[in-house]
Amino acid sequence: VLAIALNALLWGLSWLPMHALRDRGVHALWTTFLSYAVAVTLVILWRPSTVRDLMRDKRLWLLMASSGLTNSSFNWAISIGDVVRVVLLLYLMPVWSVVLMWLVYGKKPHTLTVVRVLLAVVGVALVLQPPGSSWSTFTVPVPSSLADWLALFSGFVFAGSSVLLNRLGQLPTMPKVLSMFSGCMLLSGLLAL
């Protein structure tokens, strides 16, 4: 429970330093690159054998890509878009997880899961109504900016990371951590360039 609460806190408040650094001329992708470069360095210094483990298992490379795309797109989105809108679009991740588990692994969702997915989609649609619209003029919220698209994409690849982590459950933790941190560092650096 503490890990989930800490994760939600970090994802929910990460926009504060991103906006502060953006206002000083530092793009969110460079901020992401630098912060994860520190994290990767610390993991490698603490457990150097994790590099060998990471290089041996190609599934970790897919986790690296999905984690890197998740963080790069989310951090970029919160630095240029409306934070509440971006976070709501990111948190469609459980909806994407249900869809991915069904399509990739054939795990058909239970009826109650489908009801929850529909409630989530309706809730997001209601919250994301255009400013000034009335309840009688419901509009399907279509992504209208780069930030919206990045947020939707980050939620989708976040779901992909979640599904992958579920499938990699038997692997030791540290190679998975190094994989995710390395992906965040490498992809944000590449995108920044």
Side-chain angles (χ1 to χ4, degrees), residues 22-84:
R22 178 205 61 200
D23 293 345
R24 288 169 179 75
V26 181
H27 195 284
L29 291 172
W30 285 120
T31 302
T32 304
F33 170 78
L34 293 171
S35 59
Y36 280 99
V38 170
V40 166
T41 302
L42 291 174
V43 169
I44 291 172
L45 289 173
W46 183 41
R47 297 266 177 94
S49 64
T50 57
V51 174
R52 184 180 59 248
D53 297 335
L54 175 61
M55 298 309 287
R56 271 192 261 171
D57 196 329
K58 304 281 190 269
R59 297 173 302 170
L60 290 172
W61 296 9
L62 192 53
L63 180 62
M64 184 187 298
S66 65
S67 298
L69 289 170
T70 298
N71 269 293
S72 298
S73 55
F74 176 73
N75 289 344
W76 189 359
I78 62 168
S79 74
I80 62 172
D82 177 81
V83 173
V84 173

Side-chain angles (χ1 to χ4, degrees), residues 7-192:
N7 185 42
L9 179 71
L10 290 174
W11 280 86
L13 295 178
S14 63
W15 65 273
L16 290 167
M18 290 293 172
H19 280 212
L21 289 166
R22 178 205 61 200
D23 293 345
R24 288 169 179 75
V26 181
H27 195 284
L29 291 172
W30 285 120
T31 302
T32 304
F33 170 78
L34 293 171
S35 59
Y36 280 99
V38 170
V40 166
T41 302
L42 291 174
V43 169
I44 291 172
L45 289 173
W46 183 41
R47 297 266 177 94
S49 64
T50 57
V51 174
R52 184 180 59 248
D53 297 335
L54 175 61
M55 298 309 287
R56 271 192 261 171
D57 196 329
K58 304 281 190 269
R59 297 173 302 170
L60 290 172
W61 296 9
L62 192 53
L63 180 62
M64 184 187 298
S66 65
S67 298
L69 289 170
T70 298
N71 269 293
S72 298
S73 55
F74 176 73
N75 289 344
W76 189 359
I78 62 168
S79 74
I80 62 172
D82 177 81
V83 173
V84 173
R85 188 174 177 91
V86 167
V87 171
L88 281 171
L89 291 170
L90 168 80
Y91 278 117
L92 281 173
M93 182 275 280
V95 172
W96 298 122
S97 292
V98 169
V99 171
L100 285 173
M101 288 298 285
W102 190 0
L103 293 176
V104 176
Y105 298 114
K107 187 176 178 183
K108 190 174 178 183
H110 298 289
T111 304
L112 193 55
T113 302
V114 172
V115 169
R116 285 189 217 128
V117 164
L118 291 173
L119 282 172
V121 170
V122 168
V124 167
L126 289 173
V127 171
L128 296 181
Q129 287 302 295
S133 64
S134 69
W135 289 103
S136 61
T137 58
F138 176 79
T139 313
V140 175
V142 178
S144 59
S145 67
L146 176 60
D148 284 359
W149 285 107
L150 287 167
L152 269 175
F153 180 69
S154 68
F156 180 77
V157 289
F158 190 14
S161 294
S162 178
V163 169
L164 276 169
L165 281 170
N166 187 309
R167 298 299 275 188
L168 297 172
Q170 76 283 3
L171 288 179
T173 300
M174 289 314 295
K176 291 186 282 192
V177 168
L178 182 61
S179 172
M180 292 186 293
F181 287 0
S182 297
C184 295
M185 178 190 74
L186 294 171
L187 283 168
S188 62
L190 286 172
L191 288 169

